């Protein structure tokens, strides 16, 4: 069993979490102006790298909060965790 560390609840079993996919994907601002190809790329195309990768995770059977994790896709080892609030405060968005 894999242990994932929720930034709020601490280490828990992987069965309590759900991966939300690749992190740091920004939604296009003017979606009505996108071509079908560009919209499809935003919705479906992901990097899927071999090695260190940033992902979004939700603690769906715990506090139900989203957080970011850096994980090695080869070894499944989680390298770091961060809250979304910390990123928003750092870039000045305040979200």
């Amino acid at each position: 069993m894999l242990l994932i560390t929720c930034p709020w609840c601490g280490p828990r079993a992987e069965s309590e979490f759900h991966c939300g996919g690749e992190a740091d994907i920004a939604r296009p601002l003017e979606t009505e102006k996108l071509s079908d190809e560009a919209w499809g790329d935003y919705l479906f195309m992901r990097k899927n790298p071999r090695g260190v990768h940033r992902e979004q995770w939700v603690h769906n059977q715990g506090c139900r909060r989203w957080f970011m994790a850096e994980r090695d896709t080869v070894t499944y080892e989680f390298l770091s965790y961060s809250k979304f609030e910390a990123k928003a405060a750092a870039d000045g968005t305040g979200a």
Side-chain angles (χ1 to χ4, degrees), residues 60-80:
N60 57 335
Q61 293 184 14
C63 64
R64 298 181 185 216
R65 292 181 177 174
W66 285 87
F67 61 93
M68 303 242 272
E70 193 170 78
R71 182 176 69 89
D72 188 321
T73 60
V74 176
T75 65
Y76 295 102
E77 178 185 7
F78 282 81
L79 305 171
S80 67

Side-chain angles (χ1 to χ4, degrees), residues 25-46:
I25 297 174
R27 182 183 175 96
L29 295 176
E30 298 182 17
T31 56
E32 65 279 353
K33 295 181 180 179
L34 289 178
S35 68
D36 288 344
E37 182 180 358
W39 183 244
D41 285 347
Y42 163 71
L43 290 175
F44 304 112
M45 301 306 288
R46 298 297 180 255

Side-chain angles (χ1 to χ4, degrees), residues 45-64:
M45 301 306 288
R46 298 297 180 255
K47 294 176 185 165
N48 196 20
R50 181 174 172 84
V52 178
H53 182 62
R54 287 173 44 88
E55 300 169 324
Q56 304 175 86
W57 285 80
V58 62
H59 191 182
N60 57 335
Q61 293 184 14
C63 64
R64 298 181 185 216

